[in-house]
Amino acid sequence: MTGEKAPAGGQIRRLRPEDVPAAAALEQEIFGTPWSEALILDAVEKALDSEKKQNGSGKTLPLAYGAYGIFIEEELAGYLFCMAVAGEGELHRIAVRPDRRRKGAAAALMETFFQWLREVGAGAATLEVRAGNSAAAALYRRFGFREEGVRKAYYQNPTEDALIFWCHQFPLSNSEK
């Protein structure tokens, strides 16, 4: 999945350890409760390990991790972290730099997420989103996610409910359209 096309001539590729400081800086800028650089590095290393285990094996892993970045003009413009366990995927984190929003970067990352889900053999996916983040919720709905629950006071800084979304039927891949 490395080298996927992204908006404005950018590229999507797996994140590497050298990308962690840029991702950590973006975390600080975007999230009220950002992941630490150590947590991001752990997620990147788990994703790289999952890729090594699956590459060429032809089998579905019982537990897999993914970490992808969208790079525009060689700068990290956004990223996503995800995992799959027992046939279900979970989007842990997706972020796009504020100056790169509404230009297709998040949609390109979502397409990458669904491609990854297919590769690891997941048949459903879930995520949580702040109840007040209507732009993100609209993006998720566009990709087939539907609200199926609420976690009260789940987020901090500021305190806010989390909407729990599920997608049980993945959208068509670009090759299937």
Side-chain angles (χ1 to χ4, degrees):
M1 200 177 331
T2 301
E4 292 296 309
K5 288 288 181 198
Q11 294 287 329
I12 294 178
R13 66 165 169 80
R14 294 180 193 282
L15 290 174
R16 300 185 288 243
E18 59 267 25
D19 301 318
V20 170
L26 203 49
E27 273 284 312
Q28 293 292 325
E29 181 181 352
I30 293 173
F31 292 105
T33 308
W35 284 7
S36 68
E37 194 165 320
L39 184 58
I40 294 169
L41 178 61
D42 183 58
V44 167
E45 289 175 340
K46 284 178 178 175
L48 292 171
D49 187 50
S50 290
E51 178 188 13
K52 286 178 194 169
K53 287 178 180 172
Q54 187 163 17
N55 246 353
S57 70
K59 65 178 183 175
T60 301
L61 298 176
L63 176 64
Y65 296 90
Y68 293 90
I70 185 167
F71 294 83
I72 300 174
E73 297 171 6
E74 298 184 30
E75 183 177 33
L76 182 65
Y79 55 82
L80 74 84
F81 294 101
C82 51
M83 71 174 284
V85 62
E88 293 181 345
E90 184 172 346
L91 182 62
H92 285 179
R93 212 55 153 188
I94 185 169
V96 175
R97 271 187 16 212
D99 65 325
R100 295 290 184 179
R101 291 182 183 160
R102 303 213 181 271
K103 297 175 183 169
L109 286 167
M110 289 299 293
E111 289 171 7
T112 299
F113 175 55
F114 282 108
Q115 183 177 346
W116 178 83
L117 289 168
R118 287 180 190 92
E119 289 176 5
V120 299
T126 188
L127 58 86
E128 288 114 11
V129 63
R130 282 183 177 270
N133 192 343
S134 58
L139 173 73
Y140 303 142
R141 284 185 183 98
R142 192 172 107 207
F143 279 88
F145 281 90
R146 299 291 171 249
E147 183 181 336
E148 293 189 12
V150 176
R151 287 196 174 103
K152 294 289 184 190
Y154 179 77
Y155 290 105
Q156 303 302 311
N157 298 329
T159 300
E160 193 169 0
D161 294 347
L163 303 179
I164 303 166
F165 279 71
W166 276 91
C167 181
H168 299 283
Q169 185 173 351
F170 298 163
L172 296 176
S173 66
N174 287 335
S175 64
E176 295 172 319
K177 291 180 183 174

